[in-house]
Amino acid sequence: MSETNDIFINYPLAWMVEAVEINKRKGKGKIKSKRSKFIHNNVYANWNDNQDKFLSILHITKEEFDFILNGLERIDFHRFSILSMSLPNKLLLTLHFVIQYTGGNNLACLFNVSNYYVSKVLDEMLPYLVEYFTLFIPNKNINNTKSRLHCRLKYIIDGTLHKTQRKYGGMDLDYNGHYHIHGKMSQILLDYEGYIIAFLTKIKGKIYDSLSANYNKNFKRILGSDFALGDFGFNGVGYVISGFKPSTLST
């Protein structure tokens, strides 16, 4: 085995090491990484030997992972992918990012690829995962569970902000004054069994939870005469029982 192949196998981010060495020998200033010829770590194959890792790290069973994988294989999008990473490893990388909030540097070390490669995998996989999981969102009541506080309190509503890159056009629409960042808002409706009932995403960052919820006709239709429990950001929404602000609480 050549010295170059030894570097690829034994060191994380080996493409960077090789790039520096090649350019030192050639006396060049720019790094040419040769990463197009690099074979990533087959993390999925290692995990198959220890299936408890799926449950302990991703909080899903191996059977659930295979169920998602089979669903994506039926979409058959990966045949046209320009990335050499196998579909199981792409899914594993993406679930690490979604469930564990693992950063790009950690994912790059785990799969032995560059940060750029990680971002390309996420750009490719996330839209298909959203499309696939959306098929399982019922957009209607599926359980009769309710809160102990009141029999008509049957749902939980919450919102979150996803940070985005700052754009040159229309910056003011995505800027959130509370978090002081640019982003898109998402809102989710759950029942008391923990199942996702409905969601709304790609809301402009400047729009707050209460304003968005007031104009969310789908959530209103699902709730009917029932109510959802939310935080104080949903004050003023007719179908939400909102909590108290920290300043109104005393210990």
Side-chain angles (χ1 to χ4, degrees):
M1 186 177 290
S2 67
E3 182 183 347
T4 299
N5 287 334
D6 286 337
I7 291 175
F8 276 171
I9 292 174
N10 295 327
Y11 293 93
L13 298 180
W15 58 268
M16 187 180 296
V17 176
E18 190 216 15
V20 173
E21 293 300 320
I22 288 175
N23 286 280
K24 278 183 181 178
R25 292 195 296 269
K26 292 184 178 180
K28 294 182 179 179
K30 293 184 179 179
I31 290 180
K32 297 188 177 180
S33 66
K34 303 286 185 182
R35 57 180 173 260
S36 60
K37 298 180 181 179
F38 173 63
I39 300 175
H40 64 273
N41 283 344
N42 193 349
V43 179
Y44 176 74
N46 297 332
W47 278 37
N48 269 337
D49 298 332
N50 185 5
Q51 298 187 11
D52 291 339
K53 287 187 175 181
F54 288 93
L55 191 60
S56 61
I57 298 178
L58 297 182
H59 309 294
I60 61 174
T61 63
K62 176 63 165 57
E63 290 73 20
E64 290 171 333
F65 181 89
D66 289 339
F67 180 79
I68 300 171
L69 184 62
N70 292 333
L72 292 177
E73 286 176 342
R74 287 196 296 270
I75 299 176
D76 205 26
F77 70 92
H78 57 282
R79 287 199 307 124
F80 309 100
S81 174
I82 62 173
L83 303 175
S84 61
M85 183 179 284
S86 64
L87 182 60
N89 279 292
K90 288 179 183 177
L91 178 59
L92 201 56
L93 185 152
T94 308
L95 291 180
H96 264 87
F97 176 78
V98 173
I99 298 172
Q100 287 288 342
Y101 297 98
T102 308
N105 289 334
N106 292 333
L107 290 174
C109 290
L110 178 62
F111 289 86
N112 205 9
V113 293
S114 66
N115 279 351
Y116 176 77
Y117 199 97
V118 169
S119 67
K120 295 300 289 183
V121 171
L122 294 176
D123 287 344
E124 179 181 292
M125 290 295 295
L126 286 173
Y128 287 103
L129 276 178
V130 171
E131 180 182 345
Y132 176 69
F133 282 117
T134 299
L135 299 175
F136 300 93
I137 305 296
N139 285 294
K140 62 180 181 180
N141 184 18
I142 58 175
N143 291 303
N144 292 321
T145 55
K146 56 183 178 294
S147 172
R148 291 179 297 176
L149 300 174
H150 196 276
C151 62
R152 290 173 61 187
L153 192 56
K154 297 182 179 180
Y155 302 92
I156 300 170
I157 188 173
D158 198 12
T160 187
L161 180 69
H162 310 282
K163 186 178 179 180
T164 60
Q165 291 183 344
R166 180 177 178 178
K167 297 180 180 179
Y168 289 104
M171 294 184 295
D172 56 325
L173 296 179
D174 285 338
Y175 183 76
N176 186 279
H178 179 72
Y179 294 102
H180 304 291
I181 58 173
H182 291 81
K184 298 288 187 182
M185 292 290 298
S186 295
Q187 285 184 350
I188 190 171
L189 187 68
L190 303 96
D191 63 18
Y192 275 86
E193 290 287 338
Y195 290 104
I196 299 175
I197 301 300
F199 73 96
L200 180 66
T201 190
K202 293 190 71 175
I203 307 168
K204 297 294 185 182
K206 70 175 294 183
I207 299 177
Y208 291 101
D209 289 330
S210 57
L211 180 61
S212 176
N214 271 319
Y215 287 94
N216 194 328
K217 296 180 180 180
N218 189 36
F219 284 14
K220 291 180 181 179
R221 177 187 60 81
I222 295 170
L223 267 70
S225 60
D226 296 323
F227 294 92
L229 183 67
D231 57 36
F232 63 85
F234 291 93
N235 276 335
V237 182
Y239 59 87
V240 177
I241 307 299
S242 60
F244 295 99
K245 294 183 179 180
S247 58
T248 61
L249 298 175
S250 60
T251 57

